[in-house]
Amino acid sequence: MAAVGALIISGGTLLWLLLGTVDAALNSAYGQVVLLKLALVAGLLTLAALNKFRLTPRIAHGDFAAAAGLRRSIGAEI
């Protein structure tokens, strides 16, 4: 988890160094594509956290109804 956090921070820092301003990130094609990619990665990380902290423990405690949710979540990640 620390490595994922470090990658996000380094990516944000690189974006800031390349573009310099928030306005450039919002109004340039490059900045918009990078922001879209960041939003997609944030969504994937949210699904992964849901799997790890909610669904997997429920299955481990015998709630096999959570398996369908885990299947859907993994399908969405793919």
Side-chain angles (χ1 to χ4, degrees):
M1 291 201 312
V4 172
L7 285 172
I8 292 170
I9 291 170
S10 64
T13 302
L14 183 59
L15 179 64
W16 181 260
L17 290 173
L18 288 173
L19 296 177
T21 65
V22 173
D23 187 51
L26 296 175
N27 295 319
S28 70
Y30 175 76
Q32 290 173 354
V33 169
V34 170
L35 291 174
L36 175 64
K37 287 172 70 174
L38 287 173
L40 291 171
V41 168
L44 286 173
L45 290 174
T46 301
L47 284 174
L50 173 72
N51 293 346
K52 180 176 177 77
F53 297 114
R54 289 196 76 205
L55 296 174
T56 303
R58 284 177 50 196
I59 293 169
H61 286 93
D63 180 6
F64 294 106
L70 183 61
R71 241 183 262 114
R72 282 191 306 272
S73 181
I74 290 171
E77 285 183 42
I78 291 171

